Amino acid sequence: MTEARTNRGHDHDHGDPHAPIVADGQPSYYEIMETAIRELLVERGHFTAAEIHRQIDLLDSRTPALGAAIVARAWTDPAFKVRLLADGRATVEDLGISFYDDTGLVVLENTPEVHHLIVCTLCSCYPRPVLGLPPEWYKLKPYRARAVAEPRSVLAEFGTVLPDEVEIQVHDSTSMARYLVLPRRPDGSDHLSEAELAALVTRDAMIGVRLVELPQGSRS
Amino acid sequence: MSDVIVTRLPNDVGGLSAAPIDQSDHVLAPWEKRCHALADVLDFHKLINTEEKRRGVEALGSEIVGKLSYYERWAVAFANILFQKGVLTPEDLAKRMREVERRLAAERGDSPGAGI
C-alpha cells in the first residue's frame, strides 16, 4: 500500500471525494485493486466468479419498489401490518422477498404523534434487501452527523416540516439491526388500490425524510 | 483539542455539526457495484464481515478516509484485512495489480506498461 496513486483533483467540493469520471476508461488504482483481490480469491477457491455475478444481479433486483409494495400492503391489510410491526424480517420473507444477509428488520410506523427517521451514523447500514443500495447522501457526513442532533432542520432541507408537537424519533442502524419507516397513508387516498398506493411510496419516505403525498389534483 | 482525534474515530460523526445535505444522487460505476458485490460475497464466505469492514475503513485513519471515495476505502480496507488474516500477502496483491493493469491497458489497445 505504498504507491497509492490517487485520482483527485476535480474541483468541486463535497463531503466525500469520488474519482473523477474519466472519459478514456482508464481504470483507477482502486479499481485495479478490487479486480486483483477478486481474481486472487477466485483462483484460490474462496468463491467463484459466478457468485460475484449473481450478487450483482441480486443487488440490481433490489429497489425501493419492494419496500413500497410492503408499505402499501400494510396500509390495506391490517393483519399484515400487525405481523410486519411485530417481526419485520419474517413477515417480509413471507412475501417472497429474501434476505441475503444476517440483518434484522424493524419496521417503524409513523403516526400523527411520532415520526421516525433512520440513519447510520457510523457508516451506511441500510435495509438493502427491501430498498436496494442507499442514496449517496445517506452515506455522507452531513446527513449522518446532523440527523441525530438536528433532525428537524435535516427534514426541512428535504422540504418536510412537521408540527412541533410531533415527536421525531431517530433510529441509528447497526450492522445487524436495520430499520424501515412505514409512512402515514395520505389523507384522501381511500379510493386507491394497493398497487396505486405503492406507486406513491418513495424511497425517501421509507427513510423518513419525506412524507407520502398524493399527486396534485388527485384528491377525491 | 487533540483529544477529539482519540475520542472521535473517523467514522464516529453522529452529532457533529456539518454542511447542508447535497441530495444529488450518484450512479455507481461498474467497478463500484462489483466492489459492493465483492463485499457481500466476502461476508457470505466469512472472510470479512460487515463489522470488520467498517473497522477496516476506520483503521485507514482520517486522512485516507477523507481523501478516498466510499468504495475506494472499501477496496483498501479489504486488502489490509486480508493481509492481516494471512489470506493474501502484499506481494501477491502488488504482483496481481501490475498484471491487471497491463492486461486492461492491452485490452484498451494502449502500449504495454504505458503510464506505469
Side-chain angles (χ1 to χ4, degrees):
Chain A
M1 302 296 97
T2 55
E3 52 170 355
R5 183 182 76 214
T6 59
N7 241 330
R8 298 284 73 78
H10 64 315
D11 59 6
H12 63 117
D13 182 38
H14 45 68
D16 191 61
H18 60 75
I21 307 304
V22 284
D24 64 0
Q26 188 171 329
S28 76
Y29 176 80
Y30 303 95
E31 177 173 353
I32 292 168
M33 184 181 291
E34 181 277 329
T35 302
I37 292 169
R38 175 166 41 82
E39 289 183 0
L40 286 168
L41 294 176
V42 167
E43 279 178 16
R44 295 177 186 190
H46 292 286
F47 49 79
T48 66
E51 282 178 87
I52 298 285
H53 295 308
R54 276 203 303 275
Q55 187 61 22
I56 289 172
D57 288 345
L58 184 72
L59 291 172
D60 283 341
S61 75
R62 301 311 170 99
T63 74
L66 292 171
I70 294 165
V71 167
R73 179 78 182 274
W75 283 345
T76 54
D77 181 343
F80 175 82
K81 187 175 92 174
V82 169
R83 293 202 305 278
L84 183 69
L85 296 176
D87 188 341
R89 176 168 174 153
T91 307
V92 167
E93 285 175 325
D94 284 346
L95 291 181
I97 300 171
S98 66
F99 278 59
Y100 51 84
D101 52 25
D102 295 331
T103 56
L105 182 68
V106 175
V107 178
L108 307 158
E109 183 184 20
N110 282 350
T111 68
E113 293 79 34
V114 178
H115 180 89
H116 297 283
L117 183 67
I118 67 171
V119 64
C120 177
T121 61
L122 286 179
C123 45
S124 52
C125 293
Y126 189 72
R128 291 192 280 132
V130 292
L131 292 187
L133 300 184
E136 193 69 5
W137 52 261
Y138 186 89
K139 304 190 290 190
L140 300 183
K141 179 179 175 182
Y143 181 74
R144 291 163 45 206
R146 294 175 52 215
V148 289
E150 41 170 333
R152 280 182 202 275
S153 55
V154 166
L155 289 177
E157 284 181 31
F158 286 88
T160 303
V161 178
L162 298 171
D164 286 345
E165 58 269 26
V166 175
E167 177 186 342
I168 300 178
Q169 293 185 5
V170 183
H171 302 265
D172 196 358
S173 313
T174 72
S175 60
M176 301 306 290
R178 309 297 170 89
Y179 302 98
L180 179 75
V181 175
L182 174 57
R184 292 183 64 199
R185 180 172 174 166
D187 292 337
S189 63
D190 293 352
H191 61 296
L192 297 181
S193 69
E194 188 177 328
E196 288 168 331
L197 288 168
L200 301 178
V201 180
T202 62
R203 173 196 75 194
D204 289 358
M206 293 181 281
I207 295 172
V209 292
R210 294 184 205 274
L211 306 178
V212 176
E213 292 171 339
L214 290 179
Q216 290 290 326
S218 71
R219 283 173 185 272
S220 62
Chain B
M1 291 306 287
S2 64
D3 57 337
V4 74
I5 62 175
V6 175
T7 56
R8 284 275 189 180
L9 293 174
N11 285 7
D12 188 12
V13 303
L16 298 178
S17 59
I21 294 156
D22 175 355
Q23 296 178 35
S24 56
D25 251 333
H26 162 68
V27 177
L28 296 193
W31 88 269
E32 293 178 314
K33 193 172 285 182
R34 285 200 302 275
C35 194
H36 201 114
L38 175 62
D40 288 339
V41 172
L42 287 167
D43 185 29
F44 300 157
H45 287 271
K46 304 197 184 304
L47 288 164
I48 299 175
N49 68 30
T50 303
E51 195 55 30
E52 289 171 322
K53 180 182 69 189
R54 187 184 67 72
R55 285 205 304 273
V57 168
E58 200 146 68
L60 299 175
S62 55
E63 183 183 1
I64 292 179
V65 167
K67 288 184 175 171
L68 299 195
S69 73
Y70 185 77
Y71 288 105
E72 290 172 347
R73 291 177 216 142
W74 282 22
V76 179
F78 295 159
N80 286 335
I81 295 166
L82 293 167
F83 298 158
Q84 286 159 12
K85 293 191 173 192
V87 176
L88 296 179
T89 68
E91 293 73 26
D92 292 335
L93 184 63
K95 178 164 178 282
R96 178 55 59 106
M97 285 180 68
R98 286 193 294 274
E99 291 167 8
V100 169
E101 184 165 21
R102 282 195 204 99
R103 188 181 76 220
L104 295 178
E107 288 171 5
R108 289 194 310 276
D110 297 354
S111 55
I116 297 176

